[in-house]
Amino acid sequence: MKKSDPAPERAILVGAEWESRNGVVAPDLDELSALAESAGAMTVARVTQRRERPDPSTFVGQGKVQEIAALVREEEADLVIFDDELTPAQQRNLQEQVGQRVLDRTALILDIFAQRARTKEAKLQVEMAQLHYLMPHLMGQGTQLSRLGGGIGTRGPGETRLETDRRRIRHRLAILSRELQEVRRGRELQRRPRQQWARPVLALVGYTNAGKSTLFRRLTGAEVDVENKLFCTLDPTIRLLTLPNHQEVFLSDTVGFIRKLPHHLVESFRATLEEAVQADLLIHVLDASHPQAETQRAAVLQVLRELKADGKPMVTVANKVDRVENEFTIARLLAGYAPHAAISALSGKNLEQLLTVVMEALAAQVERSAFFLPFPANRALALLHEKGRILKEEYRPDGVYVEAEIDRVWAGKIRKLIDE
Ligand code: GDP
Ligand code: MG
């Protein structure tokens, strides 16, 4: 944390252990603590409870609530953060009984997004997601939220503070939604030329903190924020990258994915994740040194499924191998996931090898395809000749019939061109 940052807020973390069909689900308070740190809070105490189901009015049991309240006084805590989602009623009751701000995981994640949003679109998305989240939490509680003062959970993107009056929220949501539409139209216009250059797009995906931005910067020489803070990159960044065979591709750095990201959040950040959806090849970066690397991978693959991007070709990368002593850990992480590479984005180890693997993955997508290009077919035909190996070319009354061996990515792009 920088010297100029205000003193961190003091947070107490609360997690519940659930008995589910698959056994006991332990809360990951280490991750919650890292998230809290990203938001500017330091963890002063952790509380866990094992329960069969949440208490409808206070989530944890009465005894635990008293314990938390005592800890809040003892540790002079500013806020209490729950690892799960709280209902508006639970949050309200807890807040009354522990006498300090109570946040759930969603509110914490939203707060981090709010601080990290940089582009206009990201800011609009975050504010909308925050207001949608806030609405039900305001039910019948009048000015309670406004009495809470500033701090984590009350901040909006940029300079603004979160609006806490329901009528004004509705009004504000309508305005934001219009603005967002306009910004999106603008972005569509910007995207077009890139598609026309028709170079393959590679997207770095992966759990937050896996090392995507470090790798992005290493490969492209671009200055993106690399910080040991979760969610550092909220807006995707795109750079041109030349592979060893001189093929040019676009590489995009994306926002980190995270476990238990509420569904409506995935929806609202769809546009932010769109680079991954639009990509021709995904590079999935794993933090091989993280004890939960497998769980993190599963979380990322789940989000990709929700975005319907799970069918895309993917290169799996075990990163941070400089921090892994046992080779077997890396081998196990990569087993069954081909093509793959084991690298250190920080030291630069095996980056050449990664580029070779990426090159091969792109080349492996060569397929034999047939195209029919209605007249005038100049551009598509020129591209087919440039990028593929022509096997057959027949001029017919209304267009050209071509059979060619061509990279799947290019085949797709040419088909798009034909359809336009
Ligand atoms: P992102 O959230 O996936 O973009 O992750 P970042 O690139 O911001 O990296 C998160 C943290 O991991 C930073 O502190 C990086 O310096 C560190 N990091 C990234 N790659 C490596 C690596 O190969 N080895 C080690 N030891 N640390 C790394
Ligand atoms: Mg990043």
Side-chain angles (χ1 to χ4, degrees):
M1 203 166 282
K2 280 171 272 150
K3 287 249 163 59
S4 56
D5 282 349
E9 295 187 61
R10 299 169 63 80
I12 293 174
L13 310 184
V14 184
E17 227 174 64
W18 302 109
E19 294 175 31
S20 81
R21 262 173 288 140
N22 310 322
V24 175
V25 184
D28 187 349
L29 291 189
D30 283 341
E31 179 178 293
L32 191 66
S33 174
L35 283 171
E37 194 185 317
S38 292
M42 64 184 272
T43 303
V44 294
R46 299 174 179 213
V47 178
T48 54
Q49 181 171 45
R50 189 166 181 162
R51 284 188 74 87
E52 249 174 71
R53 64 184 72 84
D55 183 293
S57 63
T58 51
F59 192 76
V60 290
Q62 240 340 283
K64 270 295 158 191
V65 178
Q66 295 317 316
E67 187 186 319
I68 295 166
L71 264 173
V72 164
R73 286 189 298 273
E74 239 165 72
E75 298 287 345
E76 298 180 5
D78 303 296
L79 75 164
V80 181
I81 307 172
F82 281 69
D83 192 39
D84 294 84
E85 262 192 272
L86 299 173
T87 66
Q90 285 167 340
Q91 191 208 15
R92 207 155 49 234
N93 294 335
L94 283 164
Q95 218 144 245
E96 258 159 35
Q97 294 185 39
V98 306
Q100 275 296 5
R101 229 171 335 132
V102 170
L103 298 185
D104 62 12
R105 191 183 162 88
T106 309
L108 180 65
I109 291 173
L110 282 171
D111 190 89
I112 297 168
F113 271 61
Q115 290 182 68
R116 297 288 184 276
R118 257 172 258 126
T119 63
K120 176 96 178 157
E121 184 176 12
K123 284 182 181 168
L124 291 170
Q125 280 180 350
V126 170
E127 193 177 345
M128 283 184 80
Q130 282 185 307
L131 293 178
H132 276 299
Y133 170 83
L134 211 51
M135 277 286 253
H137 287 255
L138 293 175
M139 284 277 225
Q141 72 173 359
T143 56
Q144 203 196 346
L145 262 168
S146 3
R147 276 199 284 108
L148 295 172
I152 299 171
T154 66
R155 293 178 289 213
E159 301 300 301
T160 52
R161 264 205 61 185
L162 267 186
E163 194 60 70
T164 51
D165 177 77
R166 297 182 76 215
R167 216 159 35 119
R168 276 154 67 190
I169 287 181
R170 272 206 206 92
H171 183 62
R172 179 85 186 128
L173 273 173
I175 293 174
L176 288 172
S177 156
R178 263 201 306 279
E179 278 185 43
L180 194 58
Q181 267 169 14
E182 259 161 50
V183 172
R184 282 194 177 142
R185 258 203 302 280
R187 199 168 52 106
E188 268 308 307
L189 293 177
Q190 281 168 13
R191 197 194 298 282
R192 285 234 174 96
R194 206 167 74 215
Q195 273 172 356
Q196 276 169 13
W197 297 339
R199 290 184 181 91
V201 177
L202 280 48
L204 292 167
V205 297
Y207 207 77
T208 187
N209 231 38
K212 298 177 295 297
S213 297
T214 309
L215 180 59
F216 182 79
R217 205 175 49 164
R218 269 269 168 197
L219 291 177
T220 64
E223 285 300 317
V224 258
D225 267 327
V226 179
E227 261 183 82
N228 203 357
K229 278 188 176 180
L230 298 146
F231 286 114
C232 200
T233 334
L234 189 60
D235 295 302
T237 327
I238 285 232
R239 290 282 186 291
L240 200 61
L241 171 69
T242 310
L243 297 175
N245 63 354
H246 305 295
Q247 181 181 11
E248 288 186 333
V249 298
F250 283 108
L251 184 67
S252 97
D253 185 18
T254 65
V255 64
F257 296 161
I258 191 149
R259 212 169 50 97
K260 288 208 257 180
L261 186 63
H263 195 82
H264 65 271
L265 267 191
V266 176
E267 263 312 303
S268 41
F269 291 104
R270 227 193 138 80
T272 314
L273 302 171
E274 209 160 274
E275 296 296 344
V277 179
Q278 302 264 335
D280 302 299
L281 178 80
L282 301 177
I283 301 177
H284 185 173
V285 183
L286 300 165
D287 178 351
S289 71
H290 198 285
Q292 306 279 346
E294 279 296 348
T295 317
Q296 298 186 342
R297 160 158 55 204
V300 171
L301 295 180
Q302 173 62 30
V303 174
L304 287 175
R305 260 195 298 281
E306 282 171 27
L307 293 170
K308 303 211 180 349
D310 53 331
K312 286 187 188 294
M314 179 187 280
V315 172
T316 302
V317 176
N319 187 34
K320 307 199 190 180
V321 295
D322 56 294
R323 285 176 52 182
V324 184
E325 272 170 29
N326 190 340
E327 282 288 325
F328 182 64
T329 312
I330 300 165
R332 201 177 40 200
L333 195 62
L334 293 176
Y337 290 86
H340 60 234
I343 65 158
S344 168
L346 200 62
S347 76
K349 187 184 171 190
N350 283 348
L351 289 191
E352 283 302 311
Q353 195 201 325
L354 168 63
L355 289 182
T356 307
V357 169
V358 165
M359 234 166 55
E360 285 167 4
L362 284 172
Q365 295 178 47
V366 170
E367 59 177 34
R368 206 187 150 137
S369 311
F371 300 84
F372 183 74
L373 320 174
F375 291 128
N378 315 348
R379 233 182 95 66
L381 195 58
L383 264 177
L384 265 174
H385 275 271
E386 191 189 327
K387 302 295 172 189
R389 204 167 69 84
I390 307 293
L391 305 169
K392 189 183 212 177
E393 187 171 330
E394 277 175 20
Y395 280 78
R396 297 178 180 174
D398 45 350
V400 194
Y401 174 81
V402 183
E403 281 176 22
E405 244 176 31
I406 188 161
D407 179 312
R408 247 175 54 199
V409 170
W410 284 105
K413 295 200 189 276
I414 290 169
R415 289 226 162 74
K416 241 186 232 162
L417 242 169
I418 296 170
D419 290 343
E420 263 170 16

